Amino acid sequence: MFATPAFAQAAGAPTGGLLNSMLVPMLLVFAIMYFFMIRPQQKKMKEHQAMLAALRKGDQVVTQGGLIGKVLKVKDDSEVEVEIATGVKVRVVRATIVKVIGKTEPVES
């Protein structure tokens, strides 16, 4: 009668719309993750490395285990000797030092 089937008359070939529509959001997600997760973590890691490099005798430190002590000797790049009580000395891996509580003044020679 009056109703005829409607066919897509002017349907053209896709012009890469799917690729463009998925690429832009993926790039935005990566950019957001970089600025909110990756970049701050890298900055925090650099600050921690600088703090460990500046350790010296007499600094009061806190370890990951929660021990508070005074640095007696910086043995090498990976080890520090810490006094946690009078006469009680422990060897601590340098990377496990979380923060420096009391900083000593540098000795001028």
Side-chain angles (χ1 to χ4, degrees):
M1 303 256 300
F2 295 111
T4 59
F7 297 104
Q9 298 286 328
T15 59
L18 181 64
L19 179 65
N20 290 338
S21 67
M22 290 179 67
L23 185 63
V24 173
M26 291 289 280
L27 289 175
L28 285 173
V29 167
F30 180 73
I32 290 170
M33 284 184 63
Y34 176 77
F35 282 108
F36 285 114
M37 294 176 72
I38 298 170
R39 189 168 169 240
Q41 187 66 24
Q42 287 176 341
K43 184 179 177 184
K44 186 176 179 182
M45 201 167 66
K46 284 181 184 178
E47 289 173 357
H48 187 254
Q49 291 295 328
M51 184 261 310
L52 291 179
L55 272 180
R56 63 177 154 246
K57 182 179 175 181
D59 290 348
Q60 193 169 8
V61 296
V62 177
T63 65
Q64 279 181 340
L67 295 175
I68 299 174
K70 187 176 187 179
V71 175
L72 293 179
K73 188 188 314 181
V74 180
K75 290 192 173 193
D76 55 19
D77 289 340
S78 64
E79 196 174 306
V80 176
E81 189 172 300
V82 178
E83 183 178 40
I84 56 175
T86 306
V88 180
K89 301 172 189 174
V90 293
R91 290 175 17 199
V92 177
V93 175
R94 190 177 225 170
T96 62
I97 294 175
V98 177
K99 72 178 185 177
V100 176
I101 298 174
K103 196 79 172 146
T104 59
E105 296 298 320
V107 177
E108 294 182 20
S109 37

